[in-house]
Amino acid sequence: MLMTAISGVTSHLIGLGLWWFGALLLVDSFLDNRRAARFLWGIGAGVAVLVYSTGWAVLATEGVGRLVVGALGVLLALIILTRRPRPVDRPAAPSHSANGHLQSALAAWDVAKNQSAMGQPLRAGLTYQDGINHLLSCISLTRLADERTTALPRPDDLVPVYHAMAAMGREGLPVMEEVKATTPVRFHARMTLAAAHLADPTEGKPERIREALAADTGSLPRVGLDGDGPLSAETRIAEAAQARLLVARLMVERPDLRWEAVPPWLVGSGGAVSFAREKKRFRQAVLPSCAGLSPDEEMRKLAQESVLVFRELSREVSGYESERKRAEQVLATIRA
């Protein structure tokens, strides 16, 4: 329409440019190879610049040139009718439901792992943050739905999600640290700590470990969302201790990460809230055992709790001696 119904060279050139863009877009839809598609757009942009700079573009909008463009337009229309474009190679748009956010989080987790393996820490760190936010949206929506229903609340349903959020945070924090991030590390360290604590059946109390392990023996284990098999009480207890140790170590190595959460959110307190408020709470998370402590005191307390949990775990099951020694080294560094 711009090339025929409206007069003026500028309108004709805009119409030709739109036609050329549509032609490239159509050819792209039939290419399965993404590298070939990138070459297509590069060559297409070069041809457009060449045609415009040499004056051929004006000739294509007049007389015989316009007929040639029209004939090519008819040919492209026939291609559309006779050929099926390749399936669009992108994930479906995430749903706004809790399950939709959960699936988006797991997809982001896989992408982040691949990006980290390919030596792209900046992109991986951003993808980890995106995945954690999707998990937090899932948590917020699930808790709001439980609060609005007349059925009894189901707090255990979120345990695998809390575990996944803690595991993603422990995996992503070193990647964020690699690019010398400060605010993201500070926020996600607290979010990881809170999620691990909420998944922990002992709530960080070593004297409950034996009872929790015994109670877990005869029950059906929950399914972990990270593909590592059944989600046992032992796994969740160890994860909570590892999260404490990770945060304590970061605070030792990076004094700028020692900050006082104001206002603090005691993990587990309060009712269901929207995602924005839930995110703010998790970023200001403080464990109940650390309430009222200064940043240095909190750092020491987290390391102490990690040591005590790993010591008790080592008495009950094997395989945590190295974790215990690492925690003791961090605690010794803090006390030095």
Side-chain angles (χ1 to χ4, degrees), residues 79-112:
I79 293 174
I80 293 173
L81 294 174
T82 57
R83 293 193 61 184
R84 183 183 297 275
R86 62 173 175 80
V88 178
D89 187 20
R90 63 173 182 267
S95 169
H96 293 297
S97 66
N99 186 61
H101 282 292
L102 177 59
Q103 298 307 316
S104 296
L106 297 179
W109 200 351
D110 288 336
V111 172

Side-chain angles (χ1 to χ4, degrees), residues 53-128:
S53 60
T54 56
W56 293 351
V58 176
L59 297 177
T61 62
E62 299 174 349
V64 177
R66 187 182 299 175
L67 292 176
V68 172
V69 172
L72 290 174
V74 173
L75 179 62
L76 291 174
L78 291 175
I79 293 174
I80 293 173
L81 294 174
T82 57
R83 293 193 61 184
R84 183 183 297 275
R86 62 173 175 80
V88 178
D89 187 20
R90 63 173 182 267
S95 169
H96 293 297
S97 66
N99 186 61
H101 282 292
L102 177 59
Q103 298 307 316
S104 296
L106 297 179
W109 200 351
D110 288 336
V111 172
K113 289 180 179 178
N114 291 333
Q115 289 172 336
S116 181
M118 291 187 294
Q120 301 173 348
L122 179 59
R123 296 180 64 184
L126 293 172
T127 308
Y128 275 118

Side-chain angles (χ1 to χ4, degrees), residues 153-174:
R154 307 183 305 277
D156 284 350
D157 290 356
L158 284 174
V159 168
V161 184
Y162 288 132
H163 163 71
M165 184 174 172
M168 198 182 301
R170 288 193 301 108
E171 194 176 289
L173 278 169

Side-chain angles (χ1 to χ4, degrees), residues 249-271:
R249 180 186 62 77
L250 287 172
M251 294 173 79
V252 170
E253 296 175 356
R254 292 276 301 275
D256 57 336
L257 296 179
R258 301 180 203 170
W259 67 300
E260 191 172 358
V262 179
W265 172 59
L266 292 185
V267 179
S269 64

